[in-house]
Amino acid sequence: MVKEIQLRVNLIEERKENTLLYKASKQLGIDKSEITAVKVLRKSIDARKKDVIFNYKVAVYINEQVPEKSDYTFEYKDVSNAKEIHIIGFGPAGMYAALRCIELGYKPVVLERGKNVQDRRRDLKAINQDHIVNEDSNYCFGEGGAGTYSDGKLYTRSLKRGDVRRIFENLVYHGATSQILVDAHPHIGTNKLPKIIENIRENILKFGGEIRFETRVTDFVVKNNKLQALQLLNGEEITVNSVILATGHSARDIYELLHKKEIRIKAKSFAMGVRVEHPQEIIDQIQYHCSGERDELLPAAAYSLVQQVNNRGVYSFCMCPGGFIVPAATANGEVVVNGMSPSRRNNKFANSGIVVELDIDKDFKKYEHFGELRGLEFQKDLEKIAFLAGGRTQTAPAQRLVDFVDGKLSPELNDCSYQPGLKSAPLHSLLPKIIGSRLRKGFAAFGSKMHGYYTNEANIIGVESRTSSPVNIPRKESLEHTEIEGLFPCGEGGGYAGGIVSAAMDGERCAEAAIAQL
């Protein structure tokens, strides 16, 4: 017999051996000798009150053994000579599309503009140390996409789009820790992700898939509204059957190409703002109601904040406890910041995007002449402003938090995790009013919700502009483009995902849809 129950454990109990066994025995009213195993299904932390509680959902096996194998199996076939599906982009959507093709007996041919994870590191070093951006290999482009060098957060609200558990189990199959199957807010960590992605690549190649790095698609050959071929930067032309377009939300050249060829795209609403960085100890003390360092059993504390300001949401985005801020520009002449964390989340800073909802139909009147690219052009301009304010390098413009709200230039800045460095700048006046004024009110409100958050010990760094795509590539219920036969817009780049897991699920769905149309 197996019974699923909920258990609450305090910090003292968490330190003891066999706490879950004893608690399960007591709650079920049976002798602990009858319990063969207590399997943790879900673990979360409740820190709303002074006494922090661990919430466990467990399966109690009573006179029964725990199954040795997972319910999920991944049966990959040799597809060396199978019919081809072309996939543009090798981020989470592209990777999972490729794996699903192999499961279904089709050969994925992946075209990735960037480099593999190992070679990518040299280009990341060049951004951080030399302020040089390789436009094909950076924190956004390359094997694994933007997800490779990120926190690896796997939390998603997209529970109706596919089998979330299947995505997690596949990551474990390729080397992720099984802890991601348990944690309420699972993450992998930027130090662990590259090896997992390398394992996925090797598996795709092992079963006959093809991956071409440093291969940029520059044109689509369309005849009678049917995608016939892809043209590459090197002049090569590839005949195609079906193409999954999984290029991510920063592949601006793809949006511009579609717009130029009059292939339908649609401007969509998105959000932009800044990164805020506090000493992690401040966030720990606020969230765990402690003074000094947090208890060693507790992870670096996170937070989630939202406030309505002038009929728009101001909210935290991609919060990275124990993490660091990185330069996420995809071209020289722009500054973009993002956050990530190692698996242990043991850095001394906590950072988060704080962004403002923007309405594509109301907020871009000066950009109307760009048509469906108006949000994209606005995004570009804000990144150029940050580049100029930072001194025309990857140094980012920054301000202390209270100074930003008070509209004062910061005479000095706090220590920061952002490796290219910070330059004091009046972000309160540089940011457009629709963003800056709402951020200032939002930060003040956040200070009321989290006492100690609103402090000049925190820096704000500009700009956090790549939260999601400013363009949607429309598709039918069949997931095929509304006008172009054989083109399947996918993942964050198409406007259909908002993170690693939702992109992976969409990649699987698009693979299934592309195969169904053959």
Side-chain angles (χ1 to χ4, degrees):
M1 181 188 301
V2 182
K3 288 195 174 183
E4 291 187 7
I5 60 174
Q6 304 283 341
L7 299 175
R8 289 171 61 81
V9 177
N10 62 33
L11 278 168
I12 294 174
E13 293 169 327
E14 182 73 5
R15 285 186 169 83
K16 297 178 180 177
E17 287 188 35
N18 298 320
T19 287
L20 296 182
L21 173 63
Y22 290 124
K23 279 187 166 282
S25 169
K26 183 176 180 181
Q27 185 168 317
L28 294 173
I30 59 176
D31 191 276
K32 61 182 183 294
S33 63
E34 297 181 57
I35 299 175
T36 50
V38 179
K39 182 179 179 181
V40 178
L41 303 177
R42 182 69 66 195
K43 180 181 180 181
S44 63
I45 294 174
D46 183 353
R48 289 172 295 179
K49 296 180 180 179
K50 188 172 183 179
D51 293 329
V52 177
I53 297 294
F54 295 90
N55 286 320
Y56 284 94
K57 180 181 179 182
V58 301
V60 183
Y61 288 76
I62 304 169
N63 297 319
E64 187 170 332
Q65 295 301 312
V66 179
E68 292 184 7
K69 293 185 177 180
S70 167
D71 293 336
Y72 289 82
T73 58
F74 301 96
E75 297 179 359
Y76 299 115
K77 308 167 184 177
D78 184 354
V79 295
S80 304
N81 300 311
K83 198 164 188 177
E84 294 179 347
I85 300 287
H86 285 78
I87 301 167
I88 308 176
F90 199 49
M95 285 191 301
Y96 271 79
L99 289 170
R100 189 67 181 134
C101 283
I102 293 172
E103 283 186 286
L104 297 174
Y106 288 77
K107 179 179 180 176
V109 178
V110 181
L111 309 175
E112 167 56 52
R113 69 191 295 166
K115 302 176 183 179
N116 65 41
V117 287
Q118 294 89 348
D119 293 340
R120 244 178 119 177
R121 288 193 175 100
R122 286 192 286 272
D123 297 310
L124 302 187
K125 182 179 179 182
I127 300 174
N128 280 299
Q129 297 185 6
D130 305 321
H131 301 254
I132 298 169
V133 180
N134 181 327
E135 298 189 4
D136 287 319
S137 178
N138 45 61
Y139 277 100
C140 292
F141 300 149
E143 185 175 22
T148 302
Y149 296 100
S150 74
D151 189 65
K153 284 182 283 292
L154 302 177
Y155 180 70
T156 180
R157 293 185 177 89
S158 303
L159 302 180
K160 295 181 180 179
R161 296 187 186 182
D163 189 343
V164 173
R165 178 77 179 205
R166 174 182 159 84
I167 303 301
F168 285 12
E169 292 274 5
N170 193 283
L171 286 168
V172 173
Y173 178 86
H174 284 100
T177 170
S178 59
Q179 190 64 31
I180 66 173
L181 304 175
V182 171
D183 289 342
H185 289 82
H187 76 109
I188 295 176
T190 186
N191 55 319
K192 300 286 183 70
L193 279 161
K195 181 57 181 175
I196 295 166
I197 286 163
E198 185 181 339
N199 291 342
I200 291 174
R201 179 223 305 162
E202 290 176 353
N203 218 20
I204 291 169
L205 296 176
K206 174 184 175 182
F207 288 96
E210 184 178 337
I211 303 169
R212 295 177 60 178
F213 293 111
E214 298 183 73
T215 303
R216 192 203 295 190
V217 174
T218 56
D219 202 1
F220 301 123
V221 178
V222 178
K223 294 181 181 178
N224 300 320
N225 293 327
K226 170 85 169 68
L227 184 56
Q228 304 278 350
L230 302 173
Q231 289 186 353
L232 308 181
L233 185 62
N234 64 6
E236 183 182 354
E237 185 169 297
I238 302 174
T239 302
V240 296
N241 299 308
S242 291
V243 173
I244 297 170
L245 187 63
T247 47
H249 63 42
S250 289
R252 290 169 169 169
D253 56 324
I254 293 295
Y255 299 136
E256 290 162 353
L257 172 63
L258 294 172
H259 188 63
K260 179 182 177 182
K261 296 184 74 71
E262 298 183 349
I263 295 174
R264 189 178 172 220
I265 59 174
K266 184 179 179 182
K268 67 178 275 287
S269 297
F270 59 110
M272 294 176 69
V274 295
R275 278 260 145 195
V276 62
E277 184 171 75
H278 291 77
Q280 180 64 50
E281 190 172 61
I282 289 178
I283 305 302
D284 290 341
Q285 290 171 358
I286 295 170
Q287 298 295 73
Y288 293 139
H289 321 287
C290 62
S291 58
E293 294 184 0
R294 68 180 184 272
D295 191 283
E296 62 182 2
L297 293 179
L298 297 173
Y303 62 83
S304 178
L305 292 166
V306 62
Q307 180 71 29
Q308 286 294 312
V309 179
N310 299 336
N311 299 314
R312 298 293 169 78
V314 178
Y315 59 93
S316 56
F317 170 83
C318 185
M319 197 274 145
C320 298
F324 44 94
I325 299 175
V326 297
T330 52
N332 291 291
E334 63 191 30
V335 165
V336 181
V337 292
N338 197 1
M340 61 178 61
S341 304
S343 57
R344 292 176 61 194
R345 287 180 165 169
N346 56 352
N347 195 24
K348 65 179 182 178
F349 295 107
N351 72 78
S352 177
I354 303 294
V355 296
V356 178
E357 289 179 331
L358 300 175
D359 189 317
I360 199 66
D361 297 319
K362 297 179 180 179
D363 296 334
F364 303 96
K365 299 301 181 185
K366 293 181 180 178
Y367 292 80
E368 288 292 340
H369 59 289
F370 289 108
E372 304 303 338
L373 297 180
R374 58 190 178 275
L376 179 63
E377 293 299 328
F378 177 86
Q379 190 186 59
K380 282 184 183 179
D381 280 354
L382 198 59
E383 293 168 5
K384 289 175 186 174
I385 288 170
F387 177 75
L388 295 173
R392 298 175 179 268
T393 67
Q394 284 302 300
T395 299
Q399 201 168 0
R400 293 190 302 181
L401 176 54
V402 177
D403 290 344
F404 170 73
V405 175
D406 289 344
K408 299 191 314 186
L409 184 68
S410 298
E412 57 184 23
L413 298 167
N414 304 299
D415 289 342
C416 181
S417 66
Y418 183 71
Q419 195 172 344
L422 304 180
K423 181 180 178 181
S424 181
L427 285 170
H428 63 274
S429 62
L430 291 173
L431 292 170
K433 188 176 179 181
I434 57 172
I435 296 175
S437 64
R438 287 185 171 94
L439 284 176
R440 292 164 77 180
K441 292 177 181 177
F443 276 124
F446 294 162
S448 299
K449 295 180 179 182
M450 289 178 63
H451 298 291
Y453 181 92
Y454 183 61
T455 171
N456 254 348
E457 289 187 62
N459 291 325
I460 64 165
I461 299 103
V463 289
E464 171 79 55
S465 51
R466 308 284 180 97
T467 59
S468 66
S469 171
V471 176
N472 168 248
I473 306 174
R475 63 191 189 187
K476 298 180 287 190
E477 285 188 13
S478 64
L479 307 189
E480 196 170 33
H481 189 273
T482 53
E483 296 175 349
I484 306 300
E485 185 182 344
L487 180 63
F488 294 83
C490 183
E492 290 201 34
Y496 299 103
I500 291 172
V501 175
S502 57
M505 289 191 293
D506 202 54
E508 289 200 331
R509 292 176 65 219
C510 284
E512 293 164 1
I515 289 167
Q517 292 296 97
L518 291 177

